[in-house]
């Protein structure tokens, strides 16, 4: 922690140089924990940000906080920046009503904001609970992820890191990542999953900490949109082969259903497993899975169907546990799953797999048949791609 009590007054290491702090320490100044009143020691190393630590850790609320060097440095950098912008900025601010310590608390003319810097992985329900706690008290939480991320051609995110994904109509699904070691944020925009944990995105935009404001605004809109449509089939096939490889035991429920229907998994039509931009993100399962369910539950029956009936079919799959939503606690999108269904049906309509019969109703243009051998699949490919290219032009 960066704050302590000295004679019942808040003392913050940030306001002093290392030399000042060393002098204060050798003068024998006594530091107390603001939360549990027990004694604190002042640590002034060469690498780490000077900070306080408990002499003994018996049952203090701060114990739960991760106080890695990265966390301390993040707190210091963000505090310095926000303190230069706003009058009322507090470090390690305890909120009695919800028994939580906000890393940084900012009160502007019209808002209260709690900055939560997260270096360690915590359970997502805990993150949700803390978020609700803030909201109940009229405070907007701002979660900041500082864990290292892995990125090659794709950005790899753990379930916990995915929980920091947010949404805006301009940036689509985006992730703001803080790198205290370079005093900057990296902003990854237009994220789109190609598997459970891998995402397409362009190289991140770097935003120096001394340019950030609250609410967060993106300094220049020179953002590149990745084009998931062009790469989708490569990743779709990769996913299919992986699934086949890992299912040597034959226990995969999805594959059992496909085989039970007499369909060939390797030759599923190409319109099963399409990227539905942007809200396809919401479903954790691969598109092949949930789109196959839609086809089986709604389209195959040859009768007319509506967005509503397809949505209800998909929702039933959700309730039965065949599909799962991605854990995105910072995103509240009304009608999320309905939007996914709408997006998918409009792709199918563009590909002339389905057609409108009136305002509300659709039907399949041809009776379904899954290619059952390679040459039939090749013919399907040959028919599919010109139509797909036509759709690409419109995107
Ligand atoms: Zn304490």
């Amino acid at each position: 922690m960066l704050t302590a009590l000295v004679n019942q007054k808040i003392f913050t290491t940030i306001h002093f140089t290392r030399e000042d702090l060393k002098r204060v320490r050798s003068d024998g100044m006594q530091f107390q924990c603001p939360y549990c009143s027990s004694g604190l020691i002042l640590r002034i190393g060469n690498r780490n940000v000077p900070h306080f630590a408990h002499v003994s850790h018996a049952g203090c609320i701060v114990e739960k906080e991760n106080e890695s060097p990265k966390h301390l440095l993040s707190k210091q950098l963000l505090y310095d920046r926000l303190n230069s912008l706003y009058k009322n900025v507090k470090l390690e601010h305890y909120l009695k009503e919800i028994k939580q310590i906000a890393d940084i608390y900012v009160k502007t003319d019209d808002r209260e904001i709690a900055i939560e810097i997260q270096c360690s992985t915590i359970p997502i329900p805990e993150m949700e609970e803390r978020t609700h706690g803030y909201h109940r008290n009229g405070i907007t939480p701002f979660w900041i992820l500082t864990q290292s991320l892995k990125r090659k051609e794709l950005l790899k995110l753990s379930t916990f890191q995915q929980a920091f994904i947010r949404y805006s109509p301009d940036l689509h699904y985006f992730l703001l990542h803080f790198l205290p070691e370079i005093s900057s944020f990296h902003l990854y925009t237009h994220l789109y999953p190609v598997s459970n944990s891998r995402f397409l995105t362009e190289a991140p935009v770097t935003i120096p900490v001394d340019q950030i404001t609250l609410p967060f605004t993106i300094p220049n809109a020179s953002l590149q949109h990745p084009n998931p449509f062009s790469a989708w089939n490569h990743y779709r096939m990769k996913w299919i082969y992986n699934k086949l490889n890992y299912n040597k035991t034959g226990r995969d429920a999805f594959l059992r259903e496909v085989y039970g229907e007499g369909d060939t998994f390797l030759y599923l039509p190409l319109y099963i497993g399409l990227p539905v931009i942007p809200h396809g993100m919401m479903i954790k399962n691969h598109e092949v899975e949930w789109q196959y369910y839609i086809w089986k539950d709604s389209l195959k029956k040859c009768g007319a169907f509506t967005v509503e009936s397809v949505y209800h079919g998909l929702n039933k799959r959700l309730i039965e546990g065949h599909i799962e939503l991605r854990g995105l606690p910072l995103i509240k999108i009304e009608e999320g799953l309905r939007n996914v269904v709408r997006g998918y049906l409009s792709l199918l309509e563009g590909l002339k797999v389905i057609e409108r019969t009136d305002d509300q109703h659709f039907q399949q243009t041809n009776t379904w048949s899954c290619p059952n051998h390679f040459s039939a699949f090749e013919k399907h490919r040959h028919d599919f791609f010109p139509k797909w290219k036509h759709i690409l032009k419109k995107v």
Side-chain angles (χ1 to χ4, degrees), residues 307-334:
V307 168
E308 251 348 79
S309 70
V310 174
Y311 163 73
H312 283 294
L314 196 59
N315 206 38
K316 197 161 166 257
R317 292 282 186 174
L318 186 68
I319 293 161
E320 285 167 3
H322 298 159
I323 63 165
E324 211 183 314
L325 296 182
R326 205 176 282 279
L328 303 169
L330 305 185
I331 298 175
K332 292 283 165 279
I333 294 180
E334 297 281 321

Side-chain angles (χ1 to χ4, degrees), residues 82-90 106-107 109:
L82 295 170
N83 200 37
S84 73
L85 294 175
Y86 304 99
K87 272 188 211 146
N88 198 344
V89 181
K90 287 176 181 147
V106 184
K107 194 168 179 191
D109 290 340

Side-chain angles (χ1 to χ4, degrees), residues 284-307:
K284 194 171 170 185
N285 303 62
H286 194 272
E287 283 117 352
V288 168
E289 287 187 359
W290 62 264
Q291 292 175 15
Y292 182 83
Y293 290 140
I294 285 186
W295 165 76
K296 190 189 164 197
D297 298 343
S298 303
L299 273 61
K300 194 188 180 189
K301 289 167 186 157
C302 294
F305 54 87
T306 61
V307 168

Side-chain angles (χ1 to χ4, degrees), residues 20 64 103 129 139 162 199 219-220 295 333 341 350 353 357 378 392:
D20 287 342
K64 284 198 284 179
D103 285 317
E129 203 181 294
I139 300 164
Q162 288 175 41
F199 297 80
N220 50 39
W295 165 76
I333 294 180
V341 168
V353 174
T357 55
E378 279 300 289
L392 289 186

Side-chain angles (χ1 to χ4, degrees), residues 239-293:
W239 181 84
I240 286 175
Y241 282 110
N242 270 337
K243 186 98 166 162
L244 283 171
N245 266 330
Y246 287 112
N247 187 45
K248 296 211 170 93
T249 53
R251 285 204 197 114
D252 188 279
F254 171 72
L255 286 185
R256 276 215 309 265
E257 196 163 335
V258 172
Y259 296 141
E261 283 289 301
D263 291 322
T264 310
F265 179 54
L266 198 53
Y267 300 144
L268 287 179
L270 290 157
Y271 50 79
I272 290 185
L274 295 176
V276 179
I277 314 266
H279 298 302
M281 168 73 108
M282 296 192 64
I283 304 178
K284 194 171 170 185
N285 303 62
H286 194 272
E287 283 117 352
V288 168
E289 287 187 359
W290 62 264
Q291 292 175 15
Y292 182 83
Y293 290 140

Side-chain angles (χ1 to χ4, degrees), residues 276 307-308 335 337-347:
V276 179
V307 168
E308 251 348 79
E335 306 218 302
L337 204 54
R338 251 191 208 90
N339 281 331
V340 179
V341 168
R342 267 188 210 112
Y344 182 48
L345 294 187
S346 100
L347 284 176

